[in-house]
Amino acid sequence: MTPKEKINLDGKNILVTGCPGFIGANLVIRLLKDLTGGLIVSLDNMNDYYDPKLKEYRLSLVESAAEKSNVKHVFVKGTIADKALVDSLFEKYHFDIVVNLAAQAGVRYSIDHPDVYIESNLIGFYNILEACRNSYSYADGEYKGVRHLVYASSSSVYGGNKKVPFSVEDKVDNPVSLYAATKKSNELLAHSYSKLYNIPSTGLRFFTVYGPAGRPDMFYYSATNTLVKGGTIKLFNYGNMKRDFTYVDDIVEGVVRVMGGAPVRETGEDGLPVPPYAVYNIGGGQPENLLDYISVLQEELVSAGILPADYDFEGHRELVEMQPGDVPITYADSTGLERDYGFTPQIGIREGLRNFAGWYAEFTK
Ligand SMILES: NC(=O)c1ccc[n+]([C@@H]2O[C@H](COP(=O)([O-])OP(=O)(O)OC[C@H]3O[C@@H](n4cnc5c(N)ncnc54)[C@H](O)[C@@H]3O)[C@@H](O)[C@H]2O)c1
């Protein structure tokens, strides 16, 4: 067990970058519902990696949650790669908790668009770390500087790791995409800043997050778009692939619990800080067979009226052989999260995909 300092999130000033991204919007809505007092600043550059209309839609949900909340909410459109902007927000709002979700996501996109990964995931993250570090220099009165930095890492850091389940104890020094390399770099940078400046930081390796108003570049969503148009989806290794799928509410629950428990600052035998640093996996809890996942998705799309009642399941999926470089089974060992925060993801694919299908039916009406 890594010792934790409990932080009551009520009345705190919180920065969430990457809201209204998929996970960020869900997180902020949850915080606006649950917390009392304080302030949440959402910072996002609203880029067009996927249709920004979806981000505007999520932002409208965030803003209507804010109207019913007594937590103040401020949305700032801008990039974390803009150091002056990041510094000015930290100086103005004296954040207690920082959750960095802003990043260029996607493994394939990093092949043709490397620059944006360096800008957002490395320079942007560095700016966040520097701002956390500098927050201690102007801490005065009640404000003691940033008490916890929580940031998104990714299951992609495991690369071609063959040992399952994937554990945070595994060596992850062989990233197979630039995206993965930037996420692993975030963990390394956070470690050095935790050590040097005693910034309590926790990295979370998310495993395939899905849900309503999710990311259109992800399999369940793009498969739905294909099926709606009458197309066929390819299932590699004949659908015999096991993956962790994590419903967005479970991710949010995990993030909220982690926000409220920061690694404790301690002094080592050498008189220097022991880095208040931790990394956890958050994965669905139970690996699912891809064929089962897609079958449940199709059933739920039929139930939601998106696909016709006489829909031919077999006719719209093509079972093909394994792609080179793919691994048949990957899933998370999330025991650290259970041990330190008493939480394991709860929501199964039936419930999660039903919620997605219900939302999709409404959204595309
Ligand atoms: N969804 C998943 O399955 C998954 C899995 C592993 C890790 N992650 C990580 O979780 C985080 C959130 O992912 P998501 O699925 O919500 O993705 P998302 O793309 O919906 O959200 C990311 C948001 O960050 C914003 N953004 C990007 N670069 C920015 C910058 N330089 N400055 C300000 N805003 C910027 C985008 O506009 C977007 O709204 C990301 O860091 C991602 O890498 C997600």
Side-chain angles (χ1 to χ4, degrees):
M1 162 108 190
T2 326
K4 305 292 180 198
E5 182 211 352
K6 277 213 162 108
I7 303 174
N8 179 351
L9 302 178
D10 289 325
K12 298 293 185 296
N13 288 1
I14 299 171
L15 172 65
V16 180
T17 73
C19 169
F22 170 42
I23 297 171
N26 280 281
L27 173 66
V28 171
I29 290 169
R30 163 76 188 270
L31 294 173
L32 287 168
K33 280 187 183 147
D34 283 8
L35 300 186
T36 307
L39 164 87
I40 299 172
V41 175
S42 296
L43 172 63
D44 199 299
N45 66 358
M46 304 292 270
N47 68 43
D48 62 359
Y49 167 59
Y50 57 81
D51 190 353
K53 282 204 191 84
L54 195 50
K55 297 179 186 177
E56 279 153 24
Y57 162 81
R58 296 193 203 107
L59 183 58
S60 72
L61 300 181
V62 170
E63 282 168 347
S64 60
E67 276 165 24
K68 295 181 208 106
S69 171
N70 65 13
V71 179
K72 194 168 175 249
H73 178 255
V74 176
F75 170 66
V76 178
K77 185 174 173 188
T79 169
I80 56 169
D82 179 348
K83 193 173 198 323
L85 172 69
V86 172
D87 289 348
S88 70
L89 293 175
F90 274 71
E91 278 175 38
K92 181 168 181 190
Y93 294 112
H94 286 198
F95 298 117
D96 301 289
I97 315 278
V98 174
V99 184
N100 188 62
L101 301 173
Q104 180 55 54
V107 169
R108 254 164 263 145
Y109 193 71
S110 65
I111 295 168
D112 294 330
H113 303 84
D115 292 8
V116 66
Y117 288 78
I118 300 301
E119 185 177 306
S120 296
N121 302 10
L122 295 183
I123 297 173
F125 189 66
Y126 159 75
N127 289 339
I128 296 289
L129 288 171
E130 272 291 295
C132 290
R133 165 195 177 180
N134 291 329
S135 71
Y136 305 122
S137 65
Y138 54 77
D140 47 21
E142 280 292 287
Y143 181 60
K144 305 252 182 311
V146 171
R147 291 172 65 183
H148 198 185
L149 166 65
V150 180
Y151 60 94
S153 184
S154 165
S155 62
S156 61
V157 301
Y158 290 105
N161 193 4
K162 293 205 168 49
K163 176 197 141 285
V164 283
F166 291 168
S167 158
V168 290
E169 309 299 330
D170 296 347
K171 194 167 170 296
V172 285
D173 291 337
N174 302 302
V176 293
S177 69
L178 179 63
Y179 171 65
T182 62
K183 289 292 178 180
K184 173 63 186 168
S185 303
N186 287 175
E187 296 179 3
L188 293 172
L189 293 170
H191 188 275
S192 67
Y193 270 70
S194 292
K195 170 74 181 162
L196 289 169
Y197 310 112
N198 229 351
I199 304 170
S201 78
T202 305
L204 297 173
R205 294 178 182 166
F206 299 148
F207 282 68
T208 317
V209 189
Y210 72 101
R215 268 176 36 208
D217 61 320
M218 295 191 67
F219 176 67
Y220 67 101
Y221 200 136
S222 62
T224 301
N225 285 336
T226 303
L227 294 171
V228 166
K229 287 186 203 130
T232 302
I233 46 177
K234 277 198 172 103
L235 298 180
F236 294 99
N237 201 28
Y238 309 96
N240 258 325
M241 305 245 255
K242 285 201 162 196
R243 294 284 181 270
D244 248 338
F245 298 99
T246 325
Y247 189 65
V248 65
D249 288 4
D250 276 332
I251 289 288
V252 166
E253 179 65 33
V255 174
V256 172
R257 288 188 189 221
V258 168
M259 287 168 72
V264 167
R265 289 176 169 131
E266 289 175 313
T267 305
E269 284 169 7
D270 56 2
L272 294 170
V274 176
Y277 168 90
V279 169
Y280 295 91
N281 286 334
I282 309 191
Q286 172 176 357
E288 300 287 351
N289 206 308
L290 189 61
L291 197 55
D292 296 338
Y293 185 75
I294 204 69
S295 299
V296 172
L297 174 66
Q298 286 173 311
E299 284 162 22
E300 292 305 328
L301 293 175
V302 171
S303 299
I306 297 164
L307 297 178
D310 61 352
Y311 176 74
D312 172 16
F313 290 88
E314 307 287 314
H316 290 90
R317 57 192 184 204
E318 196 185 333
L319 303 179
V320 293
E321 61 185 17
M322 189 90 144
Q323 271 185 314
D326 232 340
V327 271
I329 174 161
T330 71
Y331 64 102
D333 174 347
S334 301
T335 48
L337 196 71
E338 170 69 37
R339 180 194 63 220
D340 293 352
Y341 294 97
F343 178 66
T344 303
Q346 300 292 323
I347 298 163
I349 55 170
R350 172 70 63 188
E351 183 183 346
L353 289 172
R354 180 167 300 163
N355 293 346
F356 167 72
W359 168 81
Y360 188 95
E362 278 299 305
F363 190 68
T364 55
K365 218 165 28 191

